[in-house]
Amino acid sequence: MVKQFGQGFTRFIYLNLELPNDRDLFERFDDIKLLVQALFLREGLPSDQHDLLIFIDEIQESPKAIQHLRYFKELFPNLFIIAAGSLLEHALADVQSFPVGRVEYLNLHPVNFEEFLAADNPQAFRILDEIPIPEFAHPILLALYHQYAVVGGLPEVLAGFIGNRDFTSLVPVYESLIQSFKDDVGKYARNASEVRILRHIIETAPFEADSRIKFQNFGKSNYQSREVGEAMRSLELAGLLKLVYPTTTVELPALPDLKKSPRLQLLDTGLMNYQAGIQMDLLGIQDLNQVFRGKIIQHLVTQQVISTHFLPSYKPMFWVREKSDAQAEVDLAYPYRSMLIPVEVKSGKEGKLRSLHQFMDRAPHHFAVRFHANMFSVEKVATPAGKMFYLMNLPYFLSTRLEPYLDWFIQQYPLL
């Protein structure tokens, strides 16, 4: 993707720090001016810095290169620099002086549904801009979303699917990715025991996805809470999973309660489906709530919402009642403007949304959202306690468009 972006520049330099010759530039020169001169000389480029992009790939291989980023900003402000790499969070632990305030962070996520449409069906992609979505588009977009839900958003997998629409041909790609993840754990494990725990989590996590988990004996193992917790956090730093914690408040600021059990969110729903052996069950399905106890669609909607946030500061949360024995739970508590919006992912009638009603009884606003397989609608609802609120029902293929629809919702229904 960065290489494609680089085509918009007059000159483009690609460095891969897994290659000794490229890494040596950063290890050999402490003076950034000499480093840049050596790089230009090696590439046969004039010293003019105009319209030049340097892409430093696999930057985690050189902590010294990460430190150098501050000097690029200070001494060569006309150069454009992009750095990328895997396991960056682990690499930063070895950096003695990080360039605080001189680097802009962007998180890269699996391809989301609207990006899938942009690549495969541009006309359907353009329809997403219409708010509310036209009724005639609903069955078409729902069918496309179900295809996407089976395959997931990993680029190599999607490229293969768009090329031939053959699900069976994707098996070697999934297997290769899973094995790569298992092989990679040695890079961030401290010992052989931790490698075993990390591999166990990678193998068993798909069966626990979107469930609230306990670290003790995770995945029917004998591993202790502390060692599983440490391994989970390592995998979270590596980007393979997220621990989504609950909040007990209904207004901002909302802090996650780290003492309560988290919900497990994996990198990609398609990969999870493959590992759990349920991909074939999804083919031809009319409502994703009918599969895997509704966990697939909850997991996928959360993945889509996460994909719209590129800054690392966004942490998804869900809501639970503050009482320890309470069962109320809302799938997402979404910060929007000055409000915390409850978001449910459900099928069935509005009257079954007991947890949502409990949230709204306490909330200082009158807006709630439900994702489901049905048509777009807005309805006026009363909780059992008598509070009135508006419920916006969104087809779950619009989960990447939550914020634009909230803009529309609040503008259209400012008062009860």
Side-chain angles (χ1 to χ4, degrees):
M1 188 178 70
V2 178
K3 288 179 178 178
Q4 287 181 342
F5 179 67
Q7 292 173 7
F9 290 78
T10 304
R11 291 172 295 168
F12 175 69
I13 296 176
Y14 173 71
L15 302 173
N16 184 337
L17 300 196
E18 286 186 334
L19 302 176
N21 286 342
D22 288 350
R23 187 170 62 249
D24 183 60
L25 283 169
F26 293 91
E27 300 299 326
R28 184 158 30 110
F29 296 104
D30 291 322
D31 187 329
I32 192 71
K33 292 181 180 179
L34 290 177
L35 187 156
V36 170
Q37 289 178 29
L39 175 61
F40 283 6
L41 180 63
R42 193 188 79 171
E43 298 293 322
L45 294 174
S47 58
D48 174 28
Q49 302 163 29
H50 178 69
D51 204 28
L52 170 65
L53 172 65
I54 300 175
F55 176 28
I56 309 171
D57 199 9
E58 305 296 352
I59 197 172
Q60 80 280 352
E61 296 295 328
S62 173
K64 197 170 179 181
I66 298 174
Q67 291 175 221
H68 278 328
L69 291 177
R70 69 173 297 167
Y71 302 110
F72 278 113
K73 171 70 173 178
E74 293 173 356
L75 301 177
F76 296 94
N78 294 325
L79 282 179
F80 295 93
I81 309 291
I82 294 179
S86 57
L87 308 178
L88 266 179
E89 295 287 352
H90 290 273
L92 293 179
D94 297 325
V95 176
Q96 296 177 353
S97 175
F98 188 76
V100 176
R102 296 167 177 83
V103 175
E104 179 182 352
Y105 289 90
L106 292 174
N107 278 354
L108 198 59
H109 305 289
V111 175
N112 64 28
F113 177 60
E114 64 179 89
E115 292 165 341
F116 164 67
L117 289 183
D120 191 47
N121 194 325
Q123 187 172 357
F125 170 69
R126 286 191 291 272
I127 289 177
L128 292 179
D129 289 330
E130 297 188 33
I131 299 178
I133 198 81
E135 286 191 12
F136 73 83
H138 183 276
I140 300 166
L141 288 169
L142 193 65
L144 290 169
Y145 193 77
H146 287 164
Q147 281 188 3
Y148 169 81
V150 176
V151 178
L154 296 178
E156 188 176 357
V157 173
L158 268 179
F161 175 73
I162 290 173
N164 57 28
R165 288 298 194 276
D166 180 6
F167 290 100
T168 58
S169 69
L170 303 178
V171 170
V173 185
Y174 286 121
E175 288 292 335
S176 175
L177 288 167
I178 294 165
Q179 191 58 49
S180 295
F181 293 151
K182 290 180 184 178
D183 292 343
D184 267 357
V185 296
K187 296 179 181 178
Y188 42 95
R190 292 170 297 183
N191 50 54
S193 175
E194 193 166 323
V195 168
R196 287 193 294 271
I197 297 170
L198 289 163
R199 286 179 175 166
H200 170 75
I201 293 172
I202 290 172
E203 291 170 354
T204 59
F207 301 95
E208 305 284 351
D210 207 63
S211 298
R212 297 187 68 179
I213 62 168
K214 299 211 176 281
F215 296 153
Q216 184 79 20
N217 305 129
F218 178 81
K220 298 183 179 179
S221 70
N222 292 321
Y223 298 127
Q224 298 300 306
S225 176
R226 181 185 58 80
E227 53 191 0
V228 171
E230 289 178 356
M232 286 276 191
R233 284 182 278 274
S234 289
L235 290 171
E236 189 167 26
L237 287 174
L240 294 183
L241 59 79
K242 284 185 183 295
L243 297 172
V244 181
Y245 282 91
T247 184
T248 56
T249 185
V250 295
E251 54 188 322
L252 297 176
L255 291 175
D257 189 340
L258 302 182
K259 300 187 296 296
K260 295 185 181 295
S261 298
R263 203 171 70 202
L264 186 59
Q265 179 76 26
L266 302 185
L267 171 67
D268 178 68
T269 304
L271 188 65
M272 179 186 84
N273 295 338
Y274 174 77
Q275 283 188 271
I278 61 172
Q279 275 189 323
M280 294 304 106
D281 296 337
L282 298 174
L283 297 178
I285 200 77
Q286 297 302 310
D287 186 342
L288 288 170
N289 276 290
Q290 300 168 7
V291 183
F292 209 16
R293 304 182 303 281
K295 293 183 182 300
I296 294 299
I297 188 55
Q298 290 182 25
H299 189 277
L300 184 57
V301 166
T302 303
Q303 179 182 329
Q304 300 301 287
V305 172
I306 290 171
S307 76
T308 63
H309 293 269
F310 301 107
L311 299 179
S313 58
Y314 175 69
K315 306 290 183 186
M317 292 181 291
F318 61 101
W319 178 80
V320 296
R321 284 276 301 279
E322 194 162 5
K323 295 180 180 179
S324 58
D325 59 344
Q327 298 299 312
E329 184 175 308
V330 174
D331 295 319
L332 282 172
Y334 191 79
Y336 176 77
R337 298 187 184 179
S338 61
M339 298 173 285
L340 195 63
I341 305 291
V343 179
E344 281 279 36
V345 185
K346 299 287 186 190
S347 60
K349 294 186 180 298
E350 159 271 315
K352 295 183 179 180
L353 301 175
R354 298 186 184 92
S355 297
L356 186 68
H357 288 165
Q358 293 184 40
F359 183 104
M360 291 308 299
D361 278 332
R362 296 162 175 77
H365 61 78
H366 56 270
F367 302 105
V369 174
R370 171 175 61 173
F371 283 106
H372 63 176
N374 300 327
M375 295 281 192
F376 169 86
S377 66
V378 176
E379 53 190 308
K380 195 173 184 179
V381 178
T383 72
K387 179 179 177 178
M388 303 298 297
F389 69 95
Y390 286 113
L391 176 63
M392 179 169 61
N393 296 298
L394 291 175
Y396 43 58
F397 56 73
L398 292 174
S399 42
T400 55
R401 296 296 175 110
L402 178 57
E403 291 220 359
Y405 271 84
L406 285 173
D407 290 339
W408 178 91
F409 187 28
I410 290 167
Q411 184 179 2
Q412 295 292 318
Y413 299 88
L415 301 173
L416 274 169

